[in-house]
Amino acid sequence: MAQSVGIKDVARAAGVSVGTVSNVINRPDTVATETRARVQSAIDRLGYVRSESARQLRAGRSRIMGLLVLDMGNPFFVDVARGAERAAREAGLGVMVCNSAQSAGEEADYLSLFAEQRVRGVLLTPTDASGRNIDTFRRHNIPFVLVDRVAEGTTECSVSVDDVAGGALAVRHLVDAGHRSIAYVSGPPGLNQVRDRRTGALNALAEAGLGPDRLRELPTERLDVAAGRDAGARLLGLADRPTAVFCANDLLALGVLQAMYAAGITVPDDLAIVGYDDIEFAAAAAVPLTSVRQPAVTMGALAAELLLEETEAETGTKRHEHRRVVLQPELVVRRSSLSAR
């Protein structure tokens, strides 16, 4: 294996000191034109690339921001990453994107990696309901912002969507369309988002004078299309099948839609479906999907901006105050829920 070219190799090839090479790289205006050209020629000829990690360690400031999400297979989190990356790039930073795959163990491993790499800060959608991973990471004194999660019981910043309001929007729409028996395909019960959307659904039923028994919950272990198909199969097996289903995210809703299509059940006439997130695939489904839209790109950008604000305050005189930003969801109505009852 070829050895990497170091700054001493460049200095030797150019016939200058290591300090002169350093000045050419970092403060070129302080070096005479002829010397600078000779050093740059040696750099190009040898293929020297400076060690950014070493420079950051010396400076004590990383140019990398960590982003840890539940599932990069979900387009919602891709949009969150897009927003975060855009804000980071404008500040001259890069983003290291990691996927916990809804595993508390993988989440702990990635948080440990972020600590080892001394990242500038972390944007985190936690999966560990116990909070132990966050407590362990907090000891490293690396700033972090919670994304798609309210910072309950913590002092850190958070950017989230009002999921109680989102769940109410979905089920209120179904009730207004005449549905009185609704299934909730909910996902893992340990996730706050899943619980909050259920709370909103129950609130909408209560507003209409309907009891909680009108909501049939079908929990799933994951929030993906395969889990949605499984929930759809269980839904088809119910003796008194609900006339509508609200899903905790769009991937689950697309899975339910696939299961209904395979069984010859017409959507929305036989079963109305509402999803959550309004990912790009929702509008492109065989039956365009009604969904509760979350401003995912905005969420990612705001979270990154809060993190940047906090990290800049650490080295300056401006005081940072932790904030909880709660964005509002929006119902986007499409054909999957437009049956007349």
Side-chain angles (χ1 to χ4, degrees):
M1 181 181 295
Q3 291 185 338
S4 61
V5 176
I7 193 170
K8 291 181 180 179
D9 300 310
V10 174
R12 188 179 305 113
V16 298
S17 68
V18 170
T20 298
V21 177
S22 178
N23 285 337
V24 170
I25 295 170
N26 299 299
R27 296 178 295 278
D29 294 341
T30 66
V31 183
T33 302
E34 182 181 341
T35 303
R36 187 167 69 238
R38 190 164 73 251
V39 171
Q40 188 60 54
S41 176
I43 288 174
D44 295 341
R45 186 169 68 255
L46 297 175
Y48 168 75
V49 178
R50 71 174 177 178
S51 173
E52 182 63 17
S53 60
R55 188 191 72 81
Q56 291 176 12
L57 286 174
R58 288 193 298 272
R61 297 278 286 173
S62 172
R63 293 181 58 243
I64 298 297
M65 177 187 299
L67 171 63
L68 181 57
V69 299
L70 296 180
D71 181 11
M72 280 305 294
N74 186 338
F76 166 75
F77 288 112
V78 174
D79 286 342
V80 169
R82 284 176 49 217
E85 191 273 338
R86 183 180 65 195
R89 187 176 65 247
E90 290 175 355
L93 304 182
V95 179
M96 180 192 298
V97 181
C98 298
N99 176 27
S100 71
Q102 301 176 46
S103 163
E106 292 193 35
E107 177 182 84
D109 290 342
Y110 280 123
L111 289 174
S112 179
L113 175 64
F114 289 152
E116 291 173 5
Q117 295 296 317
R118 302 185 188 182
V119 296
R120 178 76 65 92
V122 174
L123 306 178
L124 170 64
T125 303
T127 191
D128 178 23
S130 72
R132 284 191 293 269
N133 286 342
I134 288 179
D135 290 341
T136 299
F137 184 70
R138 192 180 282 114
R139 293 200 289 266
H140 296 291
N141 293 317
I142 296 176
F144 65 90
V145 174
L146 299 182
V147 185
D148 194 31
R149 182 69 57 85
V150 176
E152 296 175 352
T154 71
T155 59
E156 283 78 21
C157 289
S158 66
V159 181
S160 63
V161 166
D162 188 340
D163 283 317
V164 174
L169 282 174
V171 172
R172 189 179 298 123
H173 167 68
L174 292 172
V175 169
D176 289 345
H179 297 282
R180 294 297 181 268
S181 177
I182 300 169
Y184 176 43
V185 178
S186 60
L191 294 178
N192 288 356
Q193 297 95 322
V194 166
R195 294 197 300 268
D196 287 348
R197 291 165 197 178
R198 179 179 183 274
T199 297
L202 292 173
N203 289 349
L205 290 174
E207 289 172 6
L210 301 172
D213 59 307
R214 300 302 182 97
L215 191 72
R216 303 274 295 276
E217 186 166 1
L218 296 173
T220 63
E221 294 184 358
R222 301 186 63 79
L223 291 162
D224 55 24
V225 174
R229 284 196 296 266
D230 175 72
R234 284 184 281 151
L235 183 65
L236 290 168
L238 295 177
D240 185 17
R241 192 170 70 221
T243 61
V245 57
F246 166 44
C247 298
N249 77 359
D250 285 341
L251 296 183
L252 290 172
L254 291 172
V256 171
L257 180 60
Q258 289 179 6
M260 296 305 109
Y261 181 82
I265 302 299
T266 302
V267 175
D269 294 333
D270 297 328
L271 182 77
I273 301 176
V274 176
Y276 205 104
D277 289 339
D278 195 34
I279 62 175
E280 183 177 356
F281 299 132
V287 179
L289 186 66
T290 295
S291 185
V292 178
R293 175 179 294 166
Q294 297 200 81
V297 174
T298 299
M299 190 184 305
L302 286 174
E305 289 166 6
L306 286 174
L307 185 61
L308 290 166
E309 180 184 300
E310 181 173 357
T311 58
E312 291 303 319
E314 291 180 339
T315 59
T317 57
K318 185 178 179 181
R319 184 171 178 269
H320 173 76
E321 294 185 3
H322 290 306
R323 301 196 300 277
R324 293 182 178 182
V325 178
V326 180
L327 305 174
Q328 291 303 307
E330 174 190 359
L331 182 69
V332 180
V333 179
R334 300 189 180 94
R335 190 154 59 90
S336 71
S337 65
L338 288 179
S339 60
R341 301 198 68 81

